Amino acid sequence: MEHKDVIKAIDGFVFEGKELDKEVELHILSCGKCRVYFENSKRFVSGIEKLKKVKKVFDLKKSVDSYTSRFSWIQKEIKKRWLRRIIISFLGGLIIVFSVITFLYYYNSSYISDELTMELMLMEDYVSYIYSFDEVDVGY
Amino acid sequence: MDDRDFFSKVFLEMKGMLTGYFLSNKVRFQDVEDVVNEVFFLAWKYKNTLRDKLKVRSWIFSIAKNVLKVYKNNIKKHKSRFSEVDGDLFYSNNPNDEDLSFVLELIEKLPDKYRDVFILFYIEDKSVKEISEILNISESNCKIRLMRAREKLRSMLENNDLYSG
């Protein structure tokens, strides 16, 4: 049997689920290249079967399982996401408001302290001015 | 038939297929349910953007492809958070699943357009006509993709390095 025909037969085994002839099996035993292809193909076919089984066994607990509970989880999900969005927006707003208040507070307090400093300097000037008169008086 | 009935019917029809699609694309076992639900959630949320109800399956499938892309990006980004075992919890914890991971590795190596066709044909047992509807391609294009997927797989299976048995 020709090598080309064996490859074709293995192709049929992998992709069409065809059985292999004895002749093909004999060739596979004697040909290293075909043996590698056949062994890999067996693993591949078995893997595909396992994947199909996994899929069947897999149970979607929360989904549109029946017409009675058809969209209940979607509605819940929508509400949940809305709630999450509202809470996040609220918290974001709160942070912005606090930032503004804090900024204004510090800005105002620094403004007030500047004013006070000015006032104090003026008072100090005024006092030293009055004292200067006293010193003159004491001198005479 | 109102929107709810229509989408219920489509979802019931497609959930098995999407589960198989995500499992074949190495979505972690514990995430498959969430990913499938995310697809349905997005479909329901953006149902107004669906122009032709006859193409609803291909529309949902394109959503599924986008969800898968986002999922894979997230997994890539947060890879450090998952250990290797945790990353492939289902596939690597069971010693009998060597063949399964072998198949998944091969499927992953296929280019996107061949992979989708291959999964739908061999895992989901869909006909060429159904696949062409789902992927919104012509039947002949579908057949060509399927043939090329087989060719790619054959060349991978013939590769000596794969065989470890």
Side-chain angles (χ1 to χ4, degrees), chain B residues 46-59:
Chain B
Y46 297 108
K47 61 183 183 295
N48 296 332
T49 60
L50 174 67
R51 287 173 200 164
D52 187 357
K53 278 193 174 180
L54 290 173
K55 289 184 178 174
V56 67
R57 290 166 89 199
S58 70
W59 181 69

Side-chain angles (χ1 to χ4, degrees), chain B residues 88-116:
Chain B
D88 288 311
L89 191 71
F90 178 73
Y91 304 109
S92 58
N93 275 2
N94 192 340
N96 296 323
D97 287 329
E98 262 181 28
D99 295 346
L100 190 56
S101 41
F102 174 76
V103 164
L104 294 171
E105 288 294 325
L106 287 180
I107 292 175
E108 200 181 24
K109 280 178 189 166
L110 285 174
D112 283 357
K113 57 181 179 180
Y114 303 147
R115 192 192 304 137
D116 294 344

Side-chain angles (χ1 to χ4, degrees), chain A residues 13-53:
Chain A
F13 167 74
V14 182
F15 301 115
E16 288 154 42
K18 286 179 184 167
E19 292 289 318
L20 293 177
D21 294 340
K22 277 205 171 172
E23 255 186 287
V24 176
E25 281 175 14
L26 280 172
H27 178 94
I28 288 167
L29 285 173
S30 62
C31 174
K33 203 178 172 188
C34 290
R35 190 170 165 265
V36 169
Y37 183 33
F38 180 62
E39 292 296 340
N40 283 333
S41 302
K42 271 203 299 191
R43 290 181 71 188
F44 183 77
V45 171
S46 141
I48 292 275
E49 286 307 313
K50 278 180 187 170
L51 190 57
K52 280 183 182 177
K53 273 185 197 168

Side-chain angles (χ1 to χ4, degrees), chain A residues 58-119:
Chain A
F58 191 83
D59 177 36
L60 284 174
K61 294 168 204 160
K62 185 187 76 173
S63 186
V64 276
D65 287 326
S66 65
Y67 275 86
T68 50
S69 63
R70 45 190 185 179
F71 278 142
S72 56
W73 69 268
I74 289 189
Q75 303 292 6
K76 273 182 202 165
E77 190 71 25
I78 289 172
K79 276 180 196 165
K80 208 167 81 183
R81 290 187 189 198
W82 263 105
L83 205 69
R84 197 189 301 160
R85 195 180 289 176
I86 289 167
I87 290 169
I88 289 170
S89 315
F90 177 72
L91 288 175
L94 217 61
I95 288 167
I96 291 167
V97 168
F98 267 116
S99 311
V100 171
I101 289 171
T102 315
F103 169 75
L104 287 175
Y105 175 76
Y106 279 107
Y107 178 79
N108 281 340
S109 56
S110 64
Y111 174 77
I112 290 165
S113 69
D114 284 352
E115 287 290 304
L116 275 172
T117 316
M118 286 282 271
E119 288 296 324

Side-chain angles (χ1 to χ4, degrees), chain B residues 12-155:
Chain B
L12 280 168
E13 195 187 300
M14 289 191 77
K15 71 171 183 178
M17 189 195 82
L18 291 179
T19 306
Y21 176 71
F22 288 128
L23 279 172
S24 310
N25 274 296
K26 286 181 98 179
V27 169
R28 296 185 310 156
F29 191 65
Q30 64 268 40
D31 292 340
V32 170
E33 186 188 320
D34 290 337
V35 177
V36 171
N37 286 337
E38 184 69 19
V39 173
F40 291 158
F41 174 76
L42 289 174
W44 178 248
K45 192 177 172 187
Y46 297 108
K47 61 183 183 295
N48 296 332
T49 60
L50 174 67
R51 287 173 200 164
D52 187 357
K53 278 193 174 180
L54 290 173
K55 289 184 178 174
V56 67
R57 290 166 89 199
S58 70
W59 181 69
I60 289 179
F61 195 77
S62 59
I63 293 174
K65 284 206 275 191
N66 287 328
V67 168
L68 182 71
K69 233 180 248 176
V70 172
Y71 172 84
K72 290 213 163 173
N73 284 341
N74 284 342
I75 288 286
K76 234 183 245 175
K77 262 187 209 168
H78 306 293
K79 211 175 181 179
S80 54
R81 282 196 205 166
F82 305 106
S83 66
E84 278 299 309
V85 176
D86 192 33
D88 288 311
L89 191 71
F90 178 73
Y91 304 109
S92 58
N93 275 2
N94 192 340
N96 296 323
D97 287 329
E98 262 181 28
D99 295 346
L100 190 56
S101 41
F102 174 76
V103 164
L104 294 171
E105 288 294 325
L106 287 180
I107 292 175
E108 200 181 24
K109 280 178 189 166
L110 285 174
D112 283 357
K113 57 181 179 180
Y114 303 147
R115 192 192 304 137
D116 294 344
V117 176
F118 181 83
I119 290 169
L120 291 173
F121 191 82
Y122 284 103
I123 315 293
E124 294 304 319
D125 296 323
K126 299 278 178 209
S127 67
V128 171
K129 197 183 172 192
E130 282 176 306
I131 296 170
S132 59
E133 271 174 29
I134 292 166
L135 297 177
N136 203 16
I137 54 175
S138 67
E139 282 185 41
S140 56
N141 192 354
C142 180
K143 281 178 191 167
I144 289 168
R145 284 187 192 189
L146 202 55
M147 193 187 73
R148 289 193 180 146
R150 279 183 203 148
E151 277 170 9
K152 292 242 174 212
L153 279 169
R154 187 199 295 135
S155 68

